[in-house]
Amino acid sequence: MLYSLFRFLDQYDVPGSGMFQYISFRAAVAVILALLITILLGRPIIRFLQRHQIGEEIRNLGLEGEHSKKGTPTMGGLLILVAILIPTLLLGRLNNIYIQIMLISAVWLGGVGFIDDYIKTFRHNKAGLKPQFKVVGQVALGLIVGTMMWYSPDVVIHEKVSETTERLVVDEAGNQTIDEVQHVMMDPIASKSTKTTIPFVKNNEFDYGWFVGGYVDNTWLLYVVVAITLLLCVSNGANLADGLDGLLGSISIPIVVVLGALAYLSGHIIYADYLNIMYIPHSAELVVFAAAMVGALLGFLWYNSHPAQIFMGDTGSLAIGGIVALFAMCIRKELLLPLLCGLYFAEAISVVLQVGWFKYTKWRYGEGRRIFRMAPLHHHYQKAGIFETKIVQRFFIISILLCAITMMTLKIR
């Protein structure tokens, strides 16, 4: 909205209006605005939730300090979503397909998570929304996003093409030879493509079309399948990571910063050419969304850090994971997610291993056995006697390390 307004004013040389043409300026404003929205609205929202007794239902897991959290206001994910949506709507280019995808994803997954939190708090059902209904919501969003990405004319890339030139070489004896030199350059014509980036590989592009034998009519299904798979894995992994005060917010901030940086590099033709990565027109606009998300998460930690005054609930955790997954898909960096979101996957894998091993040993030996003291992984360390804040700080450090390695993949091939 403001982008369009100031672009109009810039035509009349209104002082300062030209700054809104710069993504860096709008991203900086988005961080500040999202941070202020979260901090300023946080306290009245917490008081409102306390007044209406909208508190967390705590399951008895035998963890230290868990009973002190009973009744802590939940549904704080609404605060995060508001702090993301308002700056994006004000500062982003709303005709940008990638911004549209992010806005739809945030609202959709926030809605699924809200229904889950509503059932838990108002219906006093600790199980919340049945897993199959959550999956239906995620699959439906994957279908929508996959279809949008394939059929939208704005979702294109510039392929790297090789050009051969000849040059005349004269040696010391005066003999002339013609030498052929190959140059790799950006194709000036944008095209539809199902290519993605493979980390740690020199020629690091893989075409999903290989799976369907190159049949163009079937390639849109690839976007749908990829989007659904990413949503299910990453959003549920993030949901499982939301188990300690400030944990999910802390480990997600570096992830979103890296995604924003990759979006900027991918959407800038000079940097994309220099780094030999895929050039994706208009994807740099996602930096504004990423900046708003970073500001919202930072502001939420103001109240969610130990001891938490409010929990984000599934309203926030499902949305955060889903946004991260689809953001990576938009900039063709989804194969980086196992590294970038390593902690999300570690939390999910710990649950899968724990449940699988317990069922197998119960069938094999008549008695269920466990790999971890408790799953997800952060509860294992709690059971080991490590204090909650130390676990969060160490996970945050690990997240930064994984994000740094992810950025290094731009050069390590």
Side-chain angles (χ1 to χ4, degrees):
M1 296 179 183
L2 290 179
Y3 171 82
S4 300
L5 173 62
F6 281 95
R7 186 177 180 182
F8 171 77
L9 294 176
D10 190 41
Q11 297 175 358
Y12 299 94
D13 297 324
V14 176
S17 59
M19 291 190 297
F20 277 79
Q21 304 301 314
Y22 296 97
I23 290 175
S24 56
F25 174 76
R26 289 186 285 128
V29 175
V31 170
I32 297 169
L33 184 57
L35 183 61
L36 290 176
I37 289 173
T38 315
I39 293 176
L40 295 177
L41 291 182
R43 189 161 298 279
I45 287 178
I46 291 172
R47 289 173 179 169
F48 173 83
L49 295 173
Q50 288 174 333
R51 192 162 54 247
H52 290 79
Q53 297 181 341
I54 304 174
E56 182 77 4
E57 295 286 337
I58 302 295
R59 292 182 297 169
N60 186 11
L61 300 175
L63 297 170
E64 183 180 352
E66 66 178 9
H67 294 293
S68 64
K69 299 181 180 184
K70 186 175 182 180
T72 302
T74 187
M75 291 189 180
L78 288 174
L79 180 60
I80 296 174
L81 292 175
V82 168
I84 293 173
L85 295 175
I86 291 177
T88 304
L89 291 171
L90 289 176
L91 301 165
R93 297 178 59 180
L94 302 183
N95 61 343
N96 183 284
I97 183 62
Y98 300 113
I99 291 293
Q100 293 170 3
I101 289 173
M102 289 296 100
L103 291 174
I104 291 171
S105 302
V107 173
W108 188 285
L109 291 170
V112 174
F114 178 81
I115 295 172
D116 183 72
D117 289 335
Y118 179 86
I119 294 172
K120 289 178 181 177
T121 53
F122 290 93
R123 301 288 180 87
H124 302 288
N125 183 351
K126 295 179 182 179
L129 185 65
K130 292 182 178 180
Q132 55 265 37
F133 292 122
K134 285 185 183 179
V135 171
V136 169
Q138 292 165 329
V139 169
L141 178 60
L143 180 62
I144 293 171
V145 171
T147 303
M148 286 178 67
M149 288 194 66
W150 177 246
Y151 285 104
S152 171
D154 296 326
V155 180
V156 293
I157 69 168
H158 285 261
E159 302 267 12
K160 290 192 285 286
V161 294
S162 296
E163 185 180 71
T164 303
T165 59
E166 296 181 349
R167 64 178 180 179
L168 184 65
V169 179
V170 181
D171 59 19
E172 295 178 356
N175 298 320
Q176 296 181 354
T177 57
I178 296 177
D179 188 20
E180 291 186 348
V181 180
Q182 279 201 340
H183 301 278
V184 178
M185 56 183 294
M186 293 284 183
D187 191 336
I189 301 175
S191 60
K192 275 287 185 185
S193 175
T194 52
K195 287 185 177 180
T196 190
T197 302
I198 306 175
F200 303 111
V201 178
K202 187 173 182 179
N203 298 318
N204 62 337
E205 292 180 2
F206 172 73
D207 194 342
Y208 286 123
W210 179 81
F211 290 112
V212 293
Y215 292 106
V216 178
D217 293 338
N218 297 330
T219 48
W220 77 272
L221 289 171
L222 296 172
Y223 277 103
V224 172
V225 172
V226 171
I228 291 172
T229 303
L230 290 174
L231 275 171
L232 291 174
C233 294
V234 183
S235 61
N236 290 323
N239 185 242
L240 290 170
D242 182 32
L244 298 177
D245 295 349
L247 178 58
L248 180 57
S250 296
I251 65 177
S252 297
I253 289 171
I255 292 172
V256 179
V257 169
V258 168
L259 287 173
L262 292 173
Y264 182 76
L265 296 173
S266 300
H268 196 293
I269 189 169
I270 296 176
Y271 294 142
D273 185 43
Y274 172 72
L275 294 168
N276 193 27
I277 60 176
M278 198 179 298
Y279 170 49
I280 309 170
H282 315 303
S283 65
E285 191 66 22
L286 285 170
V287 176
V288 177
F289 185 91
M293 189 170 178
V294 169
L297 291 174
L298 283 171
F300 189 73
L301 285 177
W302 185 277
Y303 299 105
N304 186 238
S305 57
H306 185 79
Q309 297 170 265
I310 188 171
F311 298 140
M312 68 172 66
D314 282 17
T315 307
S317 60
L318 284 177
I320 289 171
I323 288 170
V324 167
L326 296 179
F327 196 115
M329 183 178 175
C330 286
I331 59 174
R332 317 291 176 113
K333 301 293 186 293
E334 63 271 14
L335 296 184
L336 287 172
L337 287 176
L339 176 60
L340 180 63
C341 303
L343 289 174
Y344 290 179
F345 288 99
E347 297 276 25
I349 290 170
S350 67
V351 173
V352 173
L353 290 176
Q354 185 86 322
V355 173
W357 184 248
F358 185 87
K359 289 183 177 179
Y360 170 76
T361 53
K362 188 173 183 180
W363 168 78
R364 183 72 174 79
Y365 304 107
E367 180 184 6
R369 300 174 185 176
R370 293 175 172 83
I371 300 174
F372 305 98
R373 291 182 174 93
M374 182 178 287
L377 190 60
H378 56 266
H379 287 326
H380 169 79
Y381 294 112
Q382 269 190 296
K383 284 287 190 179
I386 302 176
F387 196 62
E388 184 170 338
T389 54
K390 186 174 285 292
I391 297 171
V392 173
Q393 289 169 356
R394 288 179 175 175
F395 273 48
F396 175 60
I397 292 169
I398 294 171
S399 181
I400 292 176
L401 176 63
L402 293 174
C403 289
I405 296 173
T406 301
M407 289 301 295
M408 289 168 61
T409 61
L410 293 172
K411 285 295 185 180
I412 301 176
R413 302 179 190 171

